Each structure stands twice: as structure tokens, then as C-alpha cells.
Amino acid sequence: MADEELHTTAADDAAKKSDTSNENTYGVPMDEVEAVLNATADKAALSPQIQQMMQRQAENRRRVEESIKGTKANAAWFVPLFCTLMVVGLIWAVVYYLNPVLPIPGIGAWNLVIALVIVMTGFIMTMWWR
């Protein structure tokens, strides 16, 4: 029982020291800083232009928050895949131009079609990127 009290008081002392170290570092208790940050302006004392600006900003903030809620993200593999497809297609075409026998011998200019299909697949995937 005494060991538990000793451990809890040591933890409480450490928490108090970290709180006072922040207070000493900044010179202002965090409670006061939060109170200032959360305080609202007296709208009656503000000019009409400032009141209108604050209303527009609140409306814009609401719209942005709604649009963020509706967004969906792609999987982590999506961007590397379409980048890789575009680079592989480009390399395929360059290899064919440097040596017309490669990358697949015997099909000739169809290698360019294959390269174009690979690049276009990657490009089309960029349009689905969110």
C-alpha cells in the first residue's frame, strides 16, 4: 500500500513539474492562454465590415469542413502504381526506339502500342486520384 502511494505521488510530482516547467518557459499558465484563444469577440463593438467578414469566414469554414467530411482517399498503393505504369510505358517506348528488336522481338511497331497502352493506363488512373 505504501509503495502504491509512493509511486502515485512520484507520478503526480512529475506531472506538476512538467506543468510548472511549461509555465516557467512561457511565463503564462496554459489555462490563461486557452481562455484567450477560446474567447469570442464582442460583436456589438465591431464595425459592420468586420462583422460581415467574420460571418463570411464562419460560412467558409463550415463549407470547408463539410467538403472535407465528404472526401475519400485512395489506397496507399494507388499513386506508386500509376507513376510506375507511366514510367514503365515510357521506358518501353525508349527501349523500342533504341533497339527495334526489343522489348518483345517479332511484333515490331506493336511495341509502341503496348507502351502507349501502359502510359495511358497510368494517365487514366491519375484522373481517379483523390
Side-chain angles (χ1 to χ4, degrees), residues 62-92:
R62 185 190 60 78
R63 278 192 234 141
V64 167
E65 288 172 355
E66 284 178 9
S67 65
I68 289 173
K69 288 177 186 175
T71 59
K72 298 176 185 173
N74 293 105
W77 53 265
F78 193 80
V79 173
L81 178 63
F82 74 70
C83 290
T84 302
L85 285 173
M86 288 190 286
V87 169
V88 166
L90 177 67
I91 291 172
W92 194 294

Side-chain angles (χ1 to χ4, degrees), residues 18-68:
S18 68
D19 289 343
T20 57
S21 67
N22 285 341
E23 188 174 313
N24 292 338
T25 303
Y26 301 114
V28 178
M30 287 305 295
D31 295 336
E32 290 180 24
V33 173
E34 289 175 4
V36 169
L37 292 175
N38 293 331
T40 58
D42 182 20
K43 293 183 180 179
L46 299 175
S47 68
Q49 293 86 0
I50 298 295
Q51 290 177 6
Q52 192 176 29
M53 184 181 71
M54 288 177 68
Q55 288 172 348
R56 274 187 266 142
Q57 182 150 358
E59 178 66 23
N60 288 341
R61 182 179 300 122
R62 185 190 60 78
R63 278 192 234 141
V64 167
E65 288 172 355
E66 284 178 9
S67 65
I68 289 173

